[in-house]
Structure formats: C-alpha cells, structure tokens
Amino acid sequence: MTVTGQDISDYVDRVRAALADLPPAVRDELTEDLPEHLAEVAAETDGTLVDRLGEPEAYAAELRAAAGADGTAGPPSLDRRLAAARHRVRARLSRLDARLGPILGYASAGEFLRLLRPAWWVLRGYLAAALLGAMTGGGLTLLPRPFQSEVLGIVLLAAAVLASIALGRNADQLRRWPRRLNRLGTLVLVVFGLVLLVNLDERSQRQDFYEGVTVGNPYDSVQDVFVYDEQGRLVTNARLFDQNGVPIRLGWPTCVDGSGAVPPPRNVYPYCPEQAPFAPPRPSAPPPVPTVSASPTTATPTGSAPPAPGVLPTVTAPAASPTGPVPAPTATR
C-alpha cells in the first residue's frame, strides 16, 4: 500500500493533537521534523504508517517520554535520554537530507541513495567475500583467496553477492534484532572496505608492486632464481619477462639483511646472492713465462783440450760418402 501525502498529514495532526497539553514551544520542537521522518519511513517499507510506527497516540507518547514531558517525577532515565538523543539526531539528519536533495536533483538525498541500493548490494557482497578471504589466510587482495585458492575465491564471491542481493530485497521484513545486526554488519563492512582501499593504495605506491605472471606447479615451491652466464658467473640484478614483456614474479626472500629482518621482494633476481647453489669458477693457472739469461756463454767442445798456441788444429776427415772417398787435407807448419 502506497502512503500518500494526506496520510502523512493526518498522522502528524493526530500526533500533535495527542500532545496538545504540552507548551506550544515543546510541541513544535517534538513535531518539527515529523513529516520528513514519516516520508522517509513510508519510502523505506511497504504498508501503512500505523503498521510501521503504531498508532499516532502511541507514537506521541514515545515523543513525550523521550522529551521527559510525560509528567513523571525525577530526572529522565537513561532510556529516555537515549531516545531523546536519537530523536534529535534523526531530526538533524532529516534536515540535512532535505537540503542535499536539490543538489543531487531530487527532493531528498535519500531518494537518490535509494536508486543506488542495487549497486550497494553488489559491493556489500564483494566486501563480505574479501573479509572472509582475509580471515582464512588469503590476505588483503582484490580477488578473495580463501585458503590461497582462486577457485574458492570466485565461488565465495558469487555466493556472497547473491546472498547480499537477497538480503537487500528482504531487508524491510527484518524485525528489531535482525535489523540491528544488519546495520552493524554494514558498518563493519564499510570500515573493512576503507582498510582494504588504504592497503591497496599503499602497495601501489611501492616500486615492487606490479602485475606478475602466475606460475603453476612445479614452480610454486621456488624461493629464489639464480642466473648464470656462459662462463658460469652469477648474474645479479637480473630481470625476467615473458613473451609479452610482462614481468615474471617467482619466489620469496629467505635471507636477512644487516638489521636482521627479511627484505621485501623485488623485481630483480636473485633475492639472496649469498645463497647461490654454485660457487664461481676458479680461474685457470697462467702459462709459465721463460727466463732469459743476461750474460752470454761460450760453448766448449766436450772431450778435447784447447789447441796449444801457435799450432793449427788437426781436422779429422769426415766419413766417406757413398759416392766416393774424399782426400783429407794435411795440416802444414
């Protein structure tokens, strides 16, 4: 049943009539924003105002008790003070709602926000899935990963969005405590969404934040990557890319720096050069360099004495060649 403007006016008139015994200033203060509040209630749920708020006389009694004008002796109780505070806050929000409406092109801001409820239902389901993924070891990631599983994350995300849509369509049928739990859960998800947004923004500002290539088994157990050139020398600060130029991310640092903390992963390899599996090759020994004597030496024939002074040496004839004998020369004095 649609609540009309006449229904709201009649309800307000009956509330004011029930408060007729109060001073005019008090009565006007209690019912100042009542029409706006009734219009908001009528837009949020189906049914008449009496079904939602009760009879106007009972509602007037609640306003009277909240303001401490019910004729009871003594100071107002805690419940009455809380009710009065809620009424004042509700009145201020109603005035703010009416002022922001024309800026958005609607009679009230609530009317504009009601158009965005389906989008909020989807976002609420995503935030719920992300929160469950973080609580099950998946961390703060864009895609929920419960138990580090992307498949479970997709299933959880779809189920959470569908459940959130169903809850949003039936939220008007919730009673007192379920309605409060729904509002409390909404507040928790909003706070978690802000934390997730801040975390992702901080990670995007770091130099090591980039979209890597997911490598499946058997590379899930890789902790570090060591690159060697053709001479067997370790290459430091090496970068890995796939055929599309996308950086490849593997491993996680297992060493500690000078302060005793594990350094954050970088987009260069190896993370820990001191843990290289192969030692650098040993250099080969240089060839021996020959030594040259500085002073010349004179060769002396072995087995013969030097000739006496003034005597010519005797030359021995060589052996005869196959072609014939050769006469030996004779030494003369």
Side-chain angles (χ1 to χ4, degrees):
M1 179 178 179
T2 303
V3 178
T4 63
Q6 185 62 39
D7 296 333
I8 295 176
S9 299
D10 294 341
Y11 197 96
V12 173
D13 292 340
R14 292 178 60 181
V15 171
R16 291 180 62 87
L19 300 175
D21 59 320
L22 296 179
V26 177
R27 184 177 62 250
D28 294 341
E29 181 182 358
L30 292 178
T31 60
E32 177 183 5
D33 301 301
L34 184 57
E36 291 82 1
H37 173 59
L38 296 179
E40 181 181 356
V41 172
E44 289 181 352
T45 182
D46 296 332
T48 64
L49 294 175
V50 175
D51 296 336
R52 179 67 180 85
L53 300 175
E55 293 294 336
E57 290 74 16
Y59 189 83
E62 293 181 1
L63 293 179
R64 185 191 298 268
D70 53 354
T72 57
S77 62
L78 177 60
D79 293 339
R80 294 176 181 175
R81 291 197 298 268
L82 292 177
R86 287 197 300 268
H87 179 71
R88 288 193 295 270
V89 171
R90 184 180 300 173
R92 293 177 181 177
L93 291 178
S94 299
R95 290 193 295 268
L96 180 62
D97 183 31
R99 292 176 181 177
L100 293 179
I103 299 177
L104 300 175
Y106 293 85
S108 63
E111 183 179 354
F112 171 74
L113 294 178
R114 280 190 290 273
L115 299 176
L116 302 180
R117 284 189 297 182
W120 161 244
W121 296 343
V122 175
L123 178 60
R124 179 176 59 183
Y126 167 77
L127 292 176
L131 178 59
L132 292 176
M135 295 173 59
T136 53
L140 298 177
T141 56
L142 287 177
L143 177 64
R145 289 184 175 86
F147 306 105
Q148 299 294 331
S149 175
E150 294 183 359
V151 177
L152 289 179
I154 295 176
V155 174
L156 175 62
L157 179 60
V161 170
L162 293 178
S164 178
I165 294 175
L167 176 62
R169 298 184 61 181
N170 299 278
D172 297 335
Q173 303 177 5
L174 298 178
R175 298 303 177 183
R176 181 178 180 181
W177 284 107
R179 183 185 297 271
R180 292 182 177 179
L181 291 178
N182 183 29
R183 292 175 179 174
L184 179 61
T186 299
L187 178 61
V188 172
L189 291 179
V190 169
V191 174
F192 172 76
L194 295 176
V195 173
L196 178 63
L197 179 63
V198 172
N199 180 269
L200 294 178
D201 180 71
E202 291 179 353
R203 291 174 55 188
S204 65
Q205 302 300 324
R206 298 195 312 226
Q207 296 181 356
D208 59 339
F209 182 82
Y210 58 91
E211 291 294 334
V213 176
T214 302
V215 180
N217 291 328
Y219 301 105
D220 289 342
S221 60
V222 174
Q223 296 181 353
D224 205 342
V225 176
F226 299 91
V227 181
Y228 291 84
D229 61 9
E230 60 182 0
Q231 283 79 28
R233 293 173 299 188
L234 178 65
V235 178
T236 59
N237 297 328
R239 299 175 181 266
L240 303 180
F241 298 88
D242 66 357
Q243 69 281 355
N244 298 320
V246 179
I248 298 177
R249 168 68 180 277
L250 289 173
W252 192 266
T254 57
C255 54
V256 295
D257 55 15
S259 61
V262 177
R266 303 176 300 165
N267 56 347
V268 294
Y269 301 93
Y271 298 137
C272 309
E274 65 277 4
Q275 297 180 0
F278 304 107
R282 297 180 179 178
S284 57
V289 179
T291 58
V292 179
S293 176
S295 58
T297 58
T298 302
T300 305
T302 305
S304 61
V311 178
L312 293 177
T314 302
V315 179
T316 305
S321 63
T323 56
V326 179
T330 303
T332 58
R333 299 178 74 80

